[in-house]
Each structure stands twice: as structure tokens, then as C-alpha cells.
Amino acid sequence: MNLAILGVAASISEVLAFHVHWDVLGIALALGLGYYYAIRRLSGEFAPRGEPAVTTRQQVAYYSGVAAILIGSGWPVHDIGEGSLFLFHMLEHMLWSLVAPPLLLWGTPWWLMRLLVRPILPVLKVLTRPFVALFLFNATLGLIHAPGILHLMLRSEFAHLAFHSALFLTAILMWWPVVGPIPDIPRLEPFPRMGYLFLQSLVPTIPASFLTLGDKPLYTVYETFPRLFGLSAHTDQVLAGFLMKFGGGALLWGFIAGTFFTWWADEQRYETRPPRVGASS
């Protein structure tokens, strides 16, 4: 009995042991330093005259997006998600799909984004059409939660990176109609934007239902892992489903609320604007 307890303690200690994920750190540094270099070196030639090349708010948003990637795929979230709790794996998915992409899009000045996507602009115009973007993102989201694919991601670092990259890229497409920065692909108007986000908030309830309503663990590999916080594999799965449904829904509804109140404030300013001098009655 004592040997079994010691073995479990050793396994948990191994899961929690600190180590640097150099690949994730490299991606974060590339995004951060690339952004800094582009603003410093390219703004003089490509940024429009008469307006700041980048605002403080944009910089905060962008670097917060980089931090979300680093947190989601660094220690300890990634390690716990890969070696103990599916709940943390779900948290990683949410950071990669619902937190980092809109922050990175928000934080990139329109002139820089236009410069980056100019070679693929015709293709991007097709991929960011609302129903195309919704389909691509949710198909990828459903795929990576299929048991066989998720087990493959846990066994192979290459597969893990490949599928998470696909999730991130399709999330960029999904968020583009909401926060896309360039005028070449305009954002949705406020009312259809709210409808678009509402639809996106409904679709993930399908995979979330399989996680929360199942009477046994869907991902059997997690039954073989050491259990942190005393959570069984089934309870862990249910909590992950609730995080997917209610945590993701809260983020999307936050965007819906922000869109509505911004729209309402703009309408109020327009209605209370004084008439121009000399305007005909």
C-alpha cells in the first residue's frame, strides 16, 4: 500500500516538475520580437501619416495574446493537461482559440496586417466569409476532440503541435469577421456580428454535451494518468465539458455584450449630434 502511494506521489511529482517548453518559448519570442521589429522598422514606410503607427492599447492586446499562448502551452497548464487532467487540456484549447486570436488581431495595426496578408488576400477573403470561417473552425474543434485524435496528440508532440496550429489558424479565421483589422475585409456590422457570435456560442455545446452527459470517460487514456486534486477521470471530463460550454460561452457573450453597448453608444452620439450650421430644415 505504501509503495503504491509512493508511486502515485512520484508520478504526480513528475507531472508537476518544472521545465521549459523551448518550442513554445520560441514561438512566443518570434511573435513578440517580430511585432516589435515590424513596428520599429516598417512603420516609417508603411504606416499612414497623421496617425500613430500603433497605440498603447494595441500593444497591450497583442502582447496579452502572446502571453495567452505562452501560458496555455507552457508549464504547468500544458504539463497537467498532457499528463493528468483533461480539464487543463481544455483550458489550453480555449486559450489558443478564444483568447489569443482576438487579442492578436486587435493588437495588430491595420497597415501591418495588410502588409502581412497581402500575398494571400484573395484566399483570405474567401476563408473569412462568416459561414466558411465558422465551418472550418468548428470542424477543426470537433476533430481534435475525437478520441482517436486526442489520444494521438497525447502520444506525439508533432501531432500535438500540428493540430493545435490548425485550431489556432482556423480560430483566426473565425474571429476575423468580428475583429479583423483591415478595410479590405470589413468586419460584420454590429447586428449580424452579434448573430454570428451567438451562433458560434451554440455550436460547441454539441461536443460539450458528449463530455458532460457521458456516464463514463470518453478519453480512456486519462484513466491511466495520475489524478491531481482527487478528481476522477469522469469528473475531470465533466468539468472540462462545463468549461468548454460555459467558459467559452461567457467569453463569446462578453463580445456580444460589448458589441451591443458600443453600437448603442454610437447610435446615441449620432442622435444627439447638433445639426450643422446652415443645414436645411
Side-chain angles (χ1 to χ4, degrees), residues 51-75:
E51 63 181 76
V54 63
T55 65
T56 300
R57 183 177 296 182
Q58 286 176 315
Q59 293 180 73
V60 170
Y62 186 90
Y63 288 116
S64 296
V66 174
I69 292 175
L70 191 58
I71 292 170
S73 290
W75 180 89

Side-chain angles (χ1 to χ4, degrees), residues 165-182:
S165 297
L167 178 67
F168 176 75
L169 291 174
T170 55
I172 290 286
L173 300 177
M174 185 273 289
W175 281 106
W176 199 287
V178 180
V179 292
I182 62 174

